[in-house]
Amino acid sequence: MQKLAIQGGNRLNGEVRISGAKNAALPIMCASLLAADDLILANLPDMHDVATMGKLLQQMGVKIEPDGQTTRFNAAHVDKLEAPYDMVKTMRAAILVLGPLVARFGEARVSLPGGCAIGSRPVDLHIKGLQAMGAEIHIEHGYIHATASRLKGARICFDLVSVTGTENLMMAAALADGVTVLENAAREPEVIDLAVCLRAMGAKVSGDGTDTITITGVDKLHGASHRIMPDRIESGTFLVAAAATGGKIVLTDARADILDNVLDKLREAGAKIEVSGDRIELEMDRRPTAVNLRTAPYPAFPTDMQAQFMALNTIAEGSAIVVETIFENRFMHVQELRRLGAQIDVEGNTAVIKGCAQLEGATVMATDLRASASLVIAGLVAQGETVVDRIYHLDRGYEHIEAKLSALGAQIRRIK
Ligand code: EPZ
């Protein structure tokens, strides 16, 4: 198990380039299954989940060839319509091959994702949507076995807002016969990025970014080139780290227009933020003020930023209330933050954080991707050394995070 050793107390200063968004790259890589021509992707982030998705697609027969700044995907010779358990169990997003496989090949066998640290995370909405489009689905031996001669357009209303549910059905509908309307669809920017890529491939998609997305199926899609959008959660993570350490940083290749709620909360905490084009500058010249948070689907405060902000609140002036409404168990970082001296009480999906002047370094354990980021942020401000264990969670969703943090002045090193 690799660890990160962090010496707290340094203010973060300097410039950091934001990588391509993991949660846009994963569905868009699966979109390559929808056509027999090349899908050329730029700005793919170098992180574990992207590598895992690449391996999953390759074992199906997708050719993947890095070519300088871009990567070429070609699904002309897919010969295995299956996502095996050993790959799905490590990355729930593997479910995103289901829609494309059924849409283009009329069949798919995808392992049911196990639960994960932050909750049970069922895929019933993905399955219900495909059934509404005419797919025959059997759950057997832990696998979803879906078949359809040709999917038919349908009107589908999601009981819950589901990001990958929306993305899976958008891809399935792209090759279906007729019109599909997705109601109560996810409005996340990553859904829009997928829609942009699908349109470049010849799909007829409109309404992305709103809660009603309309897709008119076509017989065939063709190749395209697409540049993955910047990662808004990586952006938010670095901004919170800079705010927590009282630093001054500039993000480049970033997008402020998809971070409104996060930037508002950082300003409420006392940060000075300047935006110009793809640069976001943050300066924090005093102790943060505690900020209340309530997570909800986009454009409200993102659940993927909850753990990072909780770390900020642990050393802020005053108390804060954090309500997690998306996942039933996304407070795994709380007990680890307590080991650093944080004062946090949890009641159901609500946490109350009483800011303290100083955290003390300790050994802590990462449990999931964003909890890991929270512990790194706490380590950056704690007195003395903090060792974060099981950082494979972090490597799943952040590109070269310790290199980027070191470049900003953090004292952080990886222990093999
Ligand atoms: C996506 O997960 C993201 N992952 C998550 O980011 C993010 O936290 C989440 O959306 C919410 O924004 C990717 O995009 C790859 P959901 P997803 O379906 O699509 C319930 C990260 O840190 N639900 O929007 O799996 C579900 O249990 C990751 O980068 C059902 O009940 O999340 C949850 O409570 C973590 N049935 C809620 O809906 C379903 O069929 C939202 O889940 C689907 C979902």
Side-chain angles (χ1 to χ4, degrees), residues 22-23 26 92-93 96 118 120-126 160-165 167 188 303-304 326-328 330 369-370:
K22 167 176 83 80
N23 291 349
L26 295 175
R92 165 191 170 75
L96 284 164
I118 61 178
S120 60
R121 301 182 72 188
V123 287
D124 55 311
L125 301 177
H126 301 238
L160 275 171
V161 174
S162 167
V163 175
T164 50
E167 291 164 346
E188 269 68 5
T303 174
D304 291 349
I326 304 289
F327 291 110
E328 70 266 24
R330 203 169 197 176
L369 171 56
R370 306 305 174 183

Side-chain angles (χ1 to χ4, degrees), residues 172-192:
L175 289 176
D177 179 15
V179 178
T180 297
V181 178
L182 302 180
E183 292 180 317
N184 198 22
R187 299 167 53 187
E188 269 68 5
E190 293 75 22
V191 173
I192 299 174

